[in-house]
Amino acid sequence: MLMPGMLLGDVFPNFEADSTFGRMKLHDFLGDCWGVLFSHPGDFTPVCTTELGRAAQLSPEDSPQPQFNKRNVKLIALSVDSLEEHHDWSEDIMAYNNTEPESQFPFPIIADDRRELVEKLGMLDPEEKDRSGMPLSARCVFVIGPDKRLKLSILYPASTGRNFDEILRVIDSLQLTAHNRVATPVDWKAGDSVMVPPSIPEQDTLTLFPAGVYTKDLPSGKKYLRYTPQPNTHQH
Ligand code: BEZ
């Protein structure tokens, strides 16, 4: 469930919150970067630990796979526990990753122990309850653009862990389509051909896509399945 009334393209709320990196205001923290805000049902839980472990491997600049940094994306996790618990849990996550114990966890975890943000942003999973019967937070993924607008949201129930390869893949598509008039087809990955959107008239395709357009013939005779090589301009 998304925050009531929050649609793709809306400015993401500029909330203030306590995090393991200190008090933060969302828009200031993001600056000119893209952002991924992702929520968790709770600290010291198994699936969340594997998710944060994977996100931590993909984030720091000095990591062997700095996939988020190289896309100019800042990660922000959120869980409905206290700062103290987050700090202790971060140590477990780094141990799970076999990371040096003295290194800093690479991105902030928001402490939403009063559940203000999960309620405001519609992040609760009514189907999954904690031991006291309170609904758990779902596994939301919000991708926020440098213009602070919501570009994508994916919502998983607490019982299903996310796939960070998919999150990176959709960021590649969002960043490509933010700067180029193209769309990405099923299972697209960076480097594959892209599609010419239906809004572009046939007579404009040669100028807009100098690398060429291949149109697949279809029984309807309609020429809407149009492919072009991925444009090179991949600005963040
Ligand atoms: C987990 O992170 O392992 C988890 C949390 C809540 C419900 C189910 C799994």
Side-chain angles (χ1 to χ4, degrees):
M1 192 196 340
L2 263 182
M3 180 174 140
M6 190 157 72
L7 302 172
L8 293 183
D10 283 353
V11 173
F12 205 86
N14 189 15
F15 62 76
E16 242 184 283
D18 289 319
S19 83
T20 47
F21 280 23
R23 186 91 185 148
M24 64 149 63
K25 208 163 177 193
L26 181 72
H27 292 192
D28 296 342
F29 175 75
L30 292 179
D32 295 331
C33 294
W34 289 69
V36 173
L37 172 67
F38 62 120
S39 60
H40 293 271
D43 294 9
F44 307 106
T45 53
V47 176
C48 300
T49 302
T50 62
E51 289 187 315
L52 279 180
R54 172 95 167 110
Q57 282 169 345
L58 294 170
S59 192
E61 236 160 87
D62 58 357
S63 98
Q65 326 165 48
Q67 298 294 343
F68 286 106
N69 290 49
K70 90 176 194 206
R71 288 166 173 80
N72 199 26
V73 176
K74 286 188 175 175
L75 294 178
I76 309 161
L78 181 153
S79 175
V80 288
D81 291 298
S82 68
L83 270 185
E84 199 184 347
E85 287 165 306
H86 287 356
H87 284 297
D88 289 347
W89 185 35
S90 308
E91 288 182 23
D92 284 0
I93 299 163
M94 288 195 290
Y96 163 77
N97 273 359
N98 298 317
T99 310
E100 297 296 320
E102 65 273 9
S103 47
Q104 203 205 7
F105 197 72
F107 52 83
I109 309 176
I110 290 176
D112 191 29
D113 39 352
R114 284 189 297 196
R115 295 171 162 251
E116 287 167 356
L117 280 173
V118 288
E119 281 176 21
K120 180 175 173 182
L121 299 171
M123 291 170 149
L124 291 173
D125 178 353
E127 297 289 315
E128 290 266 9
K129 307 248 171 33
D130 66 15
R131 286 190 195 131
S132 62
M134 293 284 276
L136 290 173
S137 34
R139 300 182 193 281
C140 295
V141 182
F142 293 123
V143 181
I144 303 159
D147 57 1
K148 313 296 177 295
R149 292 181 184 276
L150 179 65
K151 303 298 178 189
L152 174 134
S153 69
I154 322 179
L155 184 56
Y156 298 71
S159 47
T160 301
R162 285 159 280 210
N163 180 327
F164 279 80
D165 291 329
E166 170 61 2
I167 294 171
L168 291 165
R169 191 194 73 85
V170 294
I171 289 170
D172 284 341
S173 172
L174 292 168
Q175 293 186 337
L176 180 75
T177 56
H179 297 286
N180 299 276
R181 290 177 68 192
V182 296
T184 60
V186 62
D187 296 340
W188 175 87
K189 339 182 256 337
D192 290 352
S193 289
V194 296
M195 310 214 72
V196 177
S199 56
I200 297 185
E202 202 174 336
Q203 63 270 25
D204 294 351
T205 54
L206 267 185
T207 5
L208 287 171
F209 305 107
V213 174
Y214 161 75
T215 306
K216 185 166 171 54
D217 290 333
L218 296 167
S220 67
K222 297 183 195 296
K223 297 186 178 307
Y224 59 89
L225 219 50
R226 299 178 295 179
Y227 295 86
T228 189
Q230 179 189 315
N232 287 330
T233 49
H234 189 115
Q235 296 169 42
H236 296 139

